[in-house]
């Protein structure tokens, strides 16, 4: 377990739950029911709470749903559940005002807090309207002891912010900072901040920049972490762990949500396991940002002999050890590592040395590549600096070794991660958090996993989530909420079954238009929910076909992909 020094933040009270300071990292999820359906929403809240959530969030689309929060809250309290409730509001500040009188916390999006109809106004007038509406909300929050989350999403920055800063992490940070400055002028400090994206790299950089921005202006608000549209199954867990885990390892984060396209209660145990790999302290905090290296080389994947079979994912190297096998069965474009004592200079074979001393004493050195396992990286790496054609294999157990990295180290590095965790899901989360943190910053030239159920799938998944190597379809799938008016889990599963064989393609499946087009702007093609059981098909942000029935949506997408690739 890695000891992490946390960024010290203000303490924010959400009902009887406190965020920030020395308090534990809080876990939350969000209902996907219609908030007017009291019974379904209450029952889902209960499942989320009983799974271990500290906070529960609900979609609030209109005044009627805002008012029904009081009914939901009353029924939960009657059942003995005191877990604080959060209202998720977009577009209409009046809804936020109504919700703030009832629940313990309200989430607003700085990208759409001011109604879209005002985008034709001047920058100054827009800011004036924003300030007027926000100050009114702050007064209501003060009167009712309600906290706020100012949650920016990369996919829904306001047109004003995009005009000023572009569709950038700087724009995300500044959109939040505007609201924080207004709040501090009104002496309101019960605020939590988030800067989410479906791209873990964008998400991580946005939070890092946010910490610097707050420090420059003597602010320290708690941070809510999450990767939006992470998807489901293993890919959703990998992507969430890479983004959230990398930030937690840097001491950033006070509450988290793992956004999975699954029943929301499924998110809670994943979040718990993600947090469990760290111990946190508020002493001696120093935010050490590792500057992203200039590393354009595609990281390699190494697999062990008995773990190298996968029809769609082919490793670059297979480790044979001392085994003598017919390597022709593996096909072309694969190289092999063998223990140095049996290395005999065959084509596409390279020696693997189990220690630095073994390499230094050997007479069988390859003129191309020599893989050397380092038992003590910080001491031994410097002995290899003047060696040519050496690749260092570094054992990784936790994130602490990252501090030992020399930015001047010119030797290629392979991260070898041996799983010692019996819980399969936890082992995936731990490896993704640790290794993702390195690859996000372009540290490392390869990955070598051992003792996982499916080593190759996880290796390629971590590299893809870190945006270092794309090897399969990238799915950007909304976790869904009360705004989603179709069975997104079923549609996502159908699309994945029909497209998983494809490569170099990004597919978006979005529940609604709030973040839909923006968050899947990175996708090549996507579906967005528009009305009940109706979706629209987009190529990037270009509308291809409107109001497709949910039954035909997957086939419409597949037909477009086939025709598009033909052209």
């Amino acid at each position: 377990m890695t000891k992490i020094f946390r960024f010290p933040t203000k303490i924010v009270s959400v009902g009887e739950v406190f965020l920030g300071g020395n308090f534990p990292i809080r876990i939350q999820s969000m209902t996907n029911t219609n908030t007017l359906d009291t019974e379904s929403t209450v029952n889902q809240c209960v499942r989320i709470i009983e799974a271990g959530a500290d906070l529960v969030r609900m979609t609030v689309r209109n005044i009627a749903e805002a008012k029904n929060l009081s009914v939901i809250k009353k029924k939960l309290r009657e059942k003995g559940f005191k877990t604080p409730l959060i209202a998720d509001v977009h577009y209409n500040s009046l809804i936020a005002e109504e919700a703030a009188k009832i629940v313990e916390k309200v989430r607003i999006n700085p990208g759409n807090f001011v109604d879209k109809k005002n985008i034709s106004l001047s920058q100054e007038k827009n800011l004036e309207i924003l300030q007027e509406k926000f100050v009114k909300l702050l007064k209501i929050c003060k009167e009712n002891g309600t906290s706020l989350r100012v949650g920016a999403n990369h996919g829904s920055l306001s047109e004003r912010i995009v005009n000023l800063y572009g569709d950038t992490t700087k724009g995300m940070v500044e959109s939040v900072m505007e609201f924080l400055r207004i709040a501090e002028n009104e002496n309101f400090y019960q605020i939590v901040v988030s800067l989410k994206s479906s791209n873990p790299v964008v998400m991580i950089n946005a939070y890092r920049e946010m910490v610097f921005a707050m420090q420059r202006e003597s602010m320290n608000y708690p941070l809510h972490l999450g990767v939006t549209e992470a998807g489901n199954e293993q890919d959703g867990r990998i992507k969430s762990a890479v983004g959230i885990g990398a930030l937690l390892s840097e001491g950033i984060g006070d509450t988290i949500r793992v956004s999975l396209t699954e029943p929301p209660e499924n998110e809670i145990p994943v979040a718990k396991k993600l947090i469990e790999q760290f111990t946190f302290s508020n002493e001696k905090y120093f935010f050490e940002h590792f500057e992203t290296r200039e590393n354009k080389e595609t990281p390699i994947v190494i697999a062990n002999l008995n773990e190298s079979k996968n029809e769609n994912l082919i490793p670059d190297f297979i480790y044979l050890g001392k085994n003598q096998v017919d390597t022709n069965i593996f096909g072309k474009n694969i190289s092999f590592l063998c223990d140095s004592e049996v290395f005999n200079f065959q084509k596409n074979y390279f020696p693997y040395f189990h220690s630095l001393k073994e390499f230094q004493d050997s007479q069988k050195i390859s003129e191309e590549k020599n893989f050397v396992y380092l038992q003590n990286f910080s001491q031994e790496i410097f002995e290899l600096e003047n060696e040519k054609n050496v690749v260092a294999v570094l054992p990784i157990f936790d994130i602490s070794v990252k501090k030992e990295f020399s930015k001047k180290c010119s030797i290629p590095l392979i991260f070898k991660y041996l799983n010692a965790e019996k819980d399969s899901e936890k082992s995936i989360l731990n490896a993704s958090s640790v290794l993702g943190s390195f690859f996000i910053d372009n540290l490392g030239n390869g990955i070598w996993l051992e003792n996982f159920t499916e080593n190759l799938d996880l290796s390629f998944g971590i590299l893809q989530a870190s945006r270092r190597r794309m090897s399969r379809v990238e799915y950007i799938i909304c976790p869904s909420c009360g705004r989603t008016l179709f069975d997104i889990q079923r549609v996502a599963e159908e699309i994945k079954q029909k497209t998983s064989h494809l490569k170099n393609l990004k597919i978006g499946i979005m529940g609604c238009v709030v973040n839909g087009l923006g968050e899947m702007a990175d996708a090549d093609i996507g579906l967005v929910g528009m009305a009940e059981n109706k979706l629209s098909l987009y190529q990037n942000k270009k509308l291809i076909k409107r109001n497709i029935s949910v039954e035909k949506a997957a086939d419409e997408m597949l037909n477009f992909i086939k025709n598009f690739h033909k052209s």
Side-chain angles (χ1 to χ4, degrees):
M1 191 176 288
T2 308
K3 186 175 182 179
I4 303 296
F5 298 109
R6 282 172 69 186
F7 171 55
T9 67
K10 295 181 187 299
I11 295 172
V12 171
S13 61
V14 186
E16 296 180 6
V17 172
F18 296 91
L19 299 179
N22 288 313
F23 288 96
I25 293 173
R26 304 300 188 180
I27 296 170
Q28 56 183 281
S29 184
M30 185 175 184
T31 62
N32 58 21
T33 54
N34 184 330
T35 308
L36 288 178
D37 185 343
T38 302
E39 184 178 2
S40 295
T41 303
V42 168
N43 290 340
Q44 195 171 74
C45 285
V46 169
R47 292 195 296 274
I48 292 170
I49 294 166
E50 289 183 338
D54 300 300
L55 307 162
V56 178
R57 181 160 46 116
M58 289 169 279
T59 303
V60 185
R61 296 174 293 177
N62 50 49
I63 295 295
E65 289 187 352
K67 289 183 176 179
N68 199 49
L69 291 172
S70 62
V71 180
I72 294 168
K73 183 177 180 179
K74 183 173 183 287
K75 288 189 175 292
L76 284 169
R77 300 298 179 255
E78 287 173 352
K79 290 176 178 286
F81 296 101
K82 297 181 179 180
T83 303
L85 304 178
I86 306 167
D88 192 83
V89 180
H90 295 266
Y91 296 116
N92 192 331
S93 62
L94 296 177
I95 301 171
E97 291 170 17
E98 185 67 32
K101 301 171 186 175
I102 301 167
V103 295
E104 289 84 356
K105 184 180 175 185
V106 174
R107 180 272 172 107
I108 58 171
N109 184 339
N112 55 36
F113 184 72
V114 175
D115 198 303
K116 289 282 186 181
K117 66 186 179 184
N118 292 315
I119 61 176
S120 61
L121 301 177
S122 68
Q123 301 274 14
E124 293 76 13
K125 188 62 178 176
N126 251 308
L127 194 55
E128 183 182 322
I129 294 171
L130 180 155
Q131 183 161 338
E132 180 183 335
K133 290 186 176 183
F134 189 45
V135 168
K136 187 178 179 184
L137 175 61
L138 292 175
K139 288 179 179 177
I140 293 172
C141 287
K142 278 185 181 181
E143 292 168 1
N144 292 275
T146 307
S147 60
L148 284 174
R149 169 156 73 98
V150 178
N153 278 46
H154 187 226
S156 57
L157 296 177
S158 70
E159 186 170 307
R160 180 176 60 83
I161 287 293
V162 173
N163 287 339
L164 288 170
Y165 303 99
D167 189 15
T168 62
T169 51
K170 184 176 181 180
M172 295 172 71
V173 171
E174 187 55 34
S175 67
V176 172
M177 291 299 292
E178 282 185 346
F179 278 70
L180 295 183
R181 294 181 192 115
I182 294 169
E184 292 206 341
N185 285 338
E186 298 297 317
N187 295 314
F188 186 87
Y189 303 97
Q190 292 296 296
I191 294 178
V192 179
V193 168
S194 69
L195 304 97
K196 294 189 178 183
S197 172
S198 59
N199 183 330
V201 177
V202 172
M203 171 258 195
I204 289 168
N205 288 332
Y207 279 99
R208 286 170 170 174
E209 290 175 31
M210 189 71 214
V211 170
F212 283 129
M214 286 198 296
Q215 288 179 325
R216 282 195 299 268
E217 298 192 32
S218 300
M219 296 179 182
N220 61 338
Y221 291 94
L223 292 153
H224 166 127
L225 306 184
V227 178
T228 62
E229 291 84 35
N232 61 356
E233 300 172 336
Q234 180 164 296
D235 282 347
R237 285 157 176 78
I238 293 172
K239 193 183 289 187
S240 294
V242 167
I244 296 171
L247 289 167
L248 289 178
S249 74
E250 295 174 3
I252 297 172
D254 302 279
T255 178
I256 70 171
R257 184 210 172 177
V258 176
S259 299
L260 299 176
T261 313
E262 299 177 18
E265 58 268 27
N266 287 12
E267 298 176 353
I268 306 306
V270 178
K272 284 184 176 180
K273 291 172 184 177
L274 196 49
I275 293 171
E276 283 172 359
Q277 64 185 299
F278 306 109
T279 58
F280 298 96
S281 170
N282 283 66
E283 301 174 4
K284 303 178 183 176
Y285 179 81
F286 174 70
F287 179 54
E288 187 176 5
H289 170 44
F290 291 85
E291 294 182 10
T292 301
R293 276 180 164 182
E294 186 68 29
N295 188 348
K296 296 180 180 179
E297 291 185 11
T298 301
I300 64 169
V301 172
I302 300 176
N304 291 324
L305 179 61
N306 61 341
E307 301 160 341
S308 56
K309 294 180 180 180
N310 189 302
E311 293 180 1
N312 298 317
L313 301 172
I314 301 172
D316 302 286
F317 288 83
I318 295 175
Y319 173 61
L320 303 176
K322 295 181 179 63
N323 294 297
Q324 301 292 324
V325 298
D326 179 9
T327 56
N328 292 319
I329 63 174
F330 295 106
K332 299 179 180 179
N333 302 321
I334 296 181
S335 297
F336 302 92
L337 299 183
C338 59
D339 286 349
S340 60
E341 59 195 80
V342 297
F343 173 63
N344 60 4
F345 300 94
Q346 285 178 266
K347 185 179 180 181
N348 293 331
Y349 276 68
F350 302 93
Y352 178 68
F353 300 89
H354 290 267
S355 69
L356 175 62
K357 187 176 188 305
E358 183 181 324
F359 169 70
Q360 292 172 331
D361 293 345
S362 177
Q363 301 299 314
K364 296 163 70 175
I365 304 296
S366 168
E367 294 182 359
E368 293 183 64
K369 291 186 184 74
N370 298 276
F371 292 76
V372 183
Y373 182 86
L374 300 183
Q375 296 168 325
N376 189 324
F377 171 79
S378 59
Q379 294 179 17
E380 295 178 334
I381 191 66
F382 298 105
E383 295 190 45
L384 292 175
E385 279 293 335
N386 296 321
E387 296 286 352
K388 295 181 179 179
N389 306 322
V390 168
V391 178
V393 178
L394 179 65
I396 297 291
F397 304 105
D398 58 39
I399 202 68
S400 60
V401 72
K402 191 172 182 181
K403 296 178 181 179
E404 299 178 10
F405 272 82
S406 166
K407 295 186 177 71
K408 296 179 181 179
C409 175
S410 59
I411 297 172
L413 299 174
I414 306 297
F415 298 132
K416 189 174 185 181
Y417 188 101
L418 173 63
N419 176 42
E421 179 62 57
K422 293 181 180 179
D423 183 319
S424 175
E425 184 175 66
K426 192 171 183 179
S427 68
I428 290 168
L429 296 170
N430 290 359
S432 300
S433 296
V434 172
L435 294 170
S437 177
F438 288 98
F439 286 114
I440 282 284
D441 285 326
N442 284 340
L443 299 170
N445 303 83
I447 185 170
W448 184 354
L449 301 182
E450 288 191 325
N451 202 26
F452 288 89
T453 305
E454 295 184 11
N455 286 1
L456 278 179
D457 195 57
L458 181 55
S459 293
F460 282 102
I462 291 171
L463 293 178
Q464 180 146 323
S466 307
R467 294 299 194 269
R468 291 291 307 279
R469 181 171 181 171
M470 307 303 287
S471 56
R472 51 193 171 188
V473 175
E474 174 78 8
Y475 295 101
I476 303 168
I477 311 176
C478 174
S480 90
C481 65
R483 292 182 290 269
T484 303
L485 302 177
F486 67 98
D487 188 344
I488 193 170
Q489 292 179 35
R490 183 177 66 79
V491 171
E493 184 58 34
E494 185 179 358
I495 288 173
K496 288 181 81 170
Q497 287 178 358
K498 293 181 177 181
T499 61
S500 61
H501 62 287
L502 301 173
K503 294 185 178 182
N504 301 318
L505 190 68
K506 295 179 182 177
I507 294 176
I509 309 168
M510 310 302 293
C512 71
V513 295
V514 170
N515 297 317
L517 289 179
E519 285 297 350
M520 74 171 199
D522 196 31
D524 301 299
I525 186 170
L527 287 164
V528 180
M530 293 296 180
E532 188 167 2
N533 290 323
K534 298 288 184 181
L535 301 94
S536 292
L537 181 66
Y538 286 83
Q539 182 185 11
N540 302 120
K541 289 188 176 183
K542 179 184 176 182
L543 178 65
I544 302 300
K545 191 169 183 178
R546 192 187 303 274
N547 292 330
I548 306 166
S549 69
V550 69
E551 293 81 11
K552 297 180 179 179
D555 287 334
E556 287 280 1
M557 174 180 276
L558 195 62
N559 287 335
F560 178 81
I561 291 171
K562 288 178 180 177
N563 293 330
F564 180 74
H565 278 286
K566 282 181 183 177
S567 61

